[in-house]
Amino acid sequence: MNSSLKDKWVLITGASSGFGAAAARAFGAEGSRLLLGARRVERLDRVTAEALKAGAAEAHFHFLDVSKTSSVEEFVRWARDRIVQSPSSAVKSTPEDKKSKVQSREAAGGLHVLINNAGGALGLEPVAEGKDEDWETMMQTNVLGVLRMTRAALPLLRHNAGSSILNIGSYAGHAVYEGGAAYCGAKAAELQITRTLRLELSGTGIRVCSIDPGLAETEFSIVRFKGDSARAKKTYEGTQPLTAEDIAEILVWVASRPPHVNIDNMLIKCVDQAAMHKVFRRK
Ligand SMILES: NC(=O)c1ccc[n+]([C@@H]2O[C@H](COP(=O)([O-])OP(=O)(O)OC[C@H]3O[C@@H](n4cnc5c(N)ncnc54)[C@H](OP(=O)(O)O)[C@@H]3O)[C@@H](O)[C@H]2O)c1
């Protein structure tokens, strides 16, 4: 296999379903080494097996709740240990002390792609009827989760080696809709975090990108409508939405551009979604 992503470490948050799971399979098919996190570990177990079957050089999973700093830090410690212990990171044995051995192994390996994907929407009530717990969860995952994960994982990303931070934003970060105040606000924040990071990381060679999908059929609407799958299904009725695989393919493409190329922002919509309030639906 000739992929530039072969044997590279790729960390994906929210890998238990939707875009994250599809990305695990897609980077797996490139021969990458995967570090997968989410709260539903039994799902991660399945996705890990699928990614290995697709061709991943290695695939590991671990519980991760991006809404908690302690969980994020514990996850990144675990990720660092996987990278350091990997046979791919082995360096020739010298009498150096343990600390410098670890450092040279990190230099040999290192994280190549961080995909901040964990997140989602909860509820579709107007602000006047909004629920604190829904607002708080959306901010915790889509906004603070991206900040926490990036802060913790940055020391693992190698400088000037073509590494990337790919944040999953949304069309909702660009355009608004009734009932979407907190989610649209959260995804607009994600876009501004991405832009800020690009300034802060200037000179490191680390690329920063926001991938912003429109209507896509994953578990997103089932989560938004709290398990009401009939209501969730209506979201996609008569349209041909994006699939998780469409987005995964784009993530692989963005991460495999030559190291001097940064894709700042990609807005991806299905053809049927001409605008937020204009979605073509077949009878
Ligand atoms: N589908 C769309 O129409 C659409 C459009 C634009 C953007 N997006 C964004 O795309 C991303 C992925 O969503 P999706 O469409 O693939 O939906 P999904 O199938 O519901 O996947 C969401 C993923 O996020 C994880 N997650 C949620 N809260 C988490 C937390 N606190 N800690 C760790 N992981 C958490 C979930 O895992 P666990 O529940 O197992 O933790 C799951 O793996 C989200 O950021 C979403 O906002 C979706």
Side-chain angles (χ1 to χ4, degrees):
M1 192 189 297
N2 233 352
S3 169
S4 63
L5 297 167
K6 185 169 161 43
D7 290 330
K8 298 283 172 40
W9 286 100
V10 178
L11 190 163
I12 307 173
T13 73
S16 59
S17 68
F19 301 157
R25 292 186 290 267
F27 280 89
E30 299 295 306
S32 299
R33 300 174 190 276
L34 305 175
L35 299 161
L36 308 176
R39 294 164 303 175
R40 290 171 294 174
V41 281
E42 67 294 343
R43 292 281 208 101
L44 287 178
D45 194 6
R46 201 189 315 155
V47 173
T48 300
E50 290 166 359
L52 285 168
K53 196 164 168 222
E58 290 183 45
H60 311 275
F61 66 93
H62 191 73
F63 175 86
L64 168 67
D65 183 349
V66 297
S67 72
K68 300 202 165 52
T69 298
S70 56
S71 174
V72 166
E73 288 177 351
E74 203 263 320
F75 180 85
V76 173
R77 271 197 301 277
W78 165 84
R80 181 177 174 276
D81 288 349
R82 295 283 78 67
I83 292 172
V84 169
Q85 285 162 16
S86 166
S88 72
S89 306
V91 289
K92 62 178 184 304
S93 186
T94 61
E96 62 194 342
D97 65 21
K98 201 175 167 215
K99 191 170 163 231
S100 61
K101 213 175 216 170
V102 164
Q103 279 166 349
S104 40
R105 281 182 176 176
E106 275 175 345
L111 182 61
H112 194 66
V113 186
L114 166 64
I115 304 183
N116 281 315
N117 164 73
L122 276 178
L124 195 58
E125 290 83 16
V127 173
E129 293 156 28
K131 298 188 176 55
D132 285 276
E133 60 270 27
D134 291 349
W135 292 344
E136 281 160 13
T137 301
M138 284 186 272
M139 296 300 161
Q140 280 292 349
T141 53
N142 298 292
V143 183
L144 299 179
V146 173
L147 289 170
R148 288 186 184 103
M149 271 308 302
T150 307
R151 179 180 61 192
L154 261 175
L156 302 184
L157 283 161
R158 291 172 68 201
H159 290 196
N160 302 311
S163 45
S164 308
I165 299 173
L166 309 183
N167 293 331
I168 306 298
S170 172
Y171 184 26
H174 301 259
V176 295
Y177 51 92
E178 300 88 337
Y183 183 63
C184 296
K187 288 304 192 185
E190 173 281 330
L191 185 55
Q192 297 297 44
I193 290 165
T194 306
R195 289 170 171 158
T196 307
L197 271 171
R198 201 173 302 116
L199 298 180
E200 292 176 357
L201 296 177
S202 170
T204 64
I206 297 173
R207 304 176 291 176
V208 192
C209 173
S210 185
I211 304 281
D212 302 343
L215 198 67
E217 191 162 9
T218 58
E219 292 177 25
F220 176 85
S221 294
I222 297 173
V223 173
R224 162 165 259 174
F225 298 125
K226 300 170 183 173
D228 184 344
S229 31
R231 192 173 173 202
K233 224 172 168 40
K234 278 206 173 319
T235 311
Y236 312 105
E237 221 164 59
T239 69
Q240 187 178 354
L242 297 169
T243 65
E245 286 69 29
D246 293 329
I247 300 306
E249 199 177 316
I250 286 162
L251 289 166
V252 165
W253 182 81
V254 170
S256 56
R257 291 313 81 215
H260 67 287
V261 177
N262 193 96
I263 308 293
D264 282 25
N265 189 201
M266 271 181 104
L267 177 61
I268 306 127
K269 297 187 277 132
C270 63
V271 175
D272 285 341
Q273 190 174 29
M276 192 60 91
H277 285 88
K278 189 172 174 67
V279 177
F280 179 69
R281 294 182 193 273
R282 288 153 199 85
K283 302 277 178 236

